[in-house]
Amino acid sequence: MLLPIKVKNNKHLDGGVGEYIYRIGTNVKEAILQEIPDAKIDVMELDLSSLASVRKFAEDYIALGLPLNILIVTTATGVMASPFKLSQDNIELQFATNHLGHFLLTDLLLETMKNTTIEGRIVNLSSSLGHQYSYPEGICFDAIKVTLRQH
């Protein structure tokens, strides 16, 4: 079992959302190991707002040579209802996290799932609060991908 976790900085946890989610993943791993001591669980870093992080996660997962029976891609809280901000890729943060990261991860792992002997399932979720509390003017299509000079 793999628990992909978003951590802002592996070497120095920031005390914020990244650290909170990392601790949840660690606690889940420990709880499972108490119930099933022989369980094999890895915690891997994944930041859905960063296309490089998504690519690295997929590359690392594929390198493990494990089957992929189910892929559930969801976004944790902390991204919705935020002011306009760009991702590392200069893409509007909510769009990058809730849509592009999901799509890229699914695309990169699809062949692995197809090659798994058991029929797989893919579930992509995004925050319903993120849709309720998006920008008052709606989706700003002209600002989804911008350069830093524009903001």
Side-chain angles (χ1 to χ4, degrees), residues 61 65-70 109-120:
Y61 183 84
L66 298 171
L68 182 59
N69 299 315
I70 186 164
L109 293 177
L110 193 56
E111 283 305 312
T112 301
M113 182 171 274
K114 286 179 181 178
N115 294 329
T116 298
T117 55
I118 298 173
E119 184 178 322

Side-chain angles (χ1 to χ4, degrees), residues 3-23:
L3 298 172
I5 302 298
K6 176 182 178 181
V7 180
K8 290 186 179 179
N9 185 335
N10 247 352
K11 294 179 182 136
H12 175 70
L13 296 177
D14 64 359
V17 174
E19 182 172 356
Y20 174 73
I21 293 171
Y22 178 79
R23 288 192 177 153

Side-chain angles (χ1 to χ4, degrees), residues 47-82:
D47 180 349
L48 286 169
S49 72
S50 166
L51 300 179
S53 176
V54 172
R55 284 186 178 96
K56 178 160 181 14
F57 176 86
E59 179 182 306
D60 291 348
Y61 183 84
I62 291 167
L64 293 172
L66 298 171
L68 182 59
N69 299 315
I70 186 164
L71 176 63
I72 301 173
V73 187
T74 186
T75 303
T77 59
V79 177
M80 84 273 182
S82 60

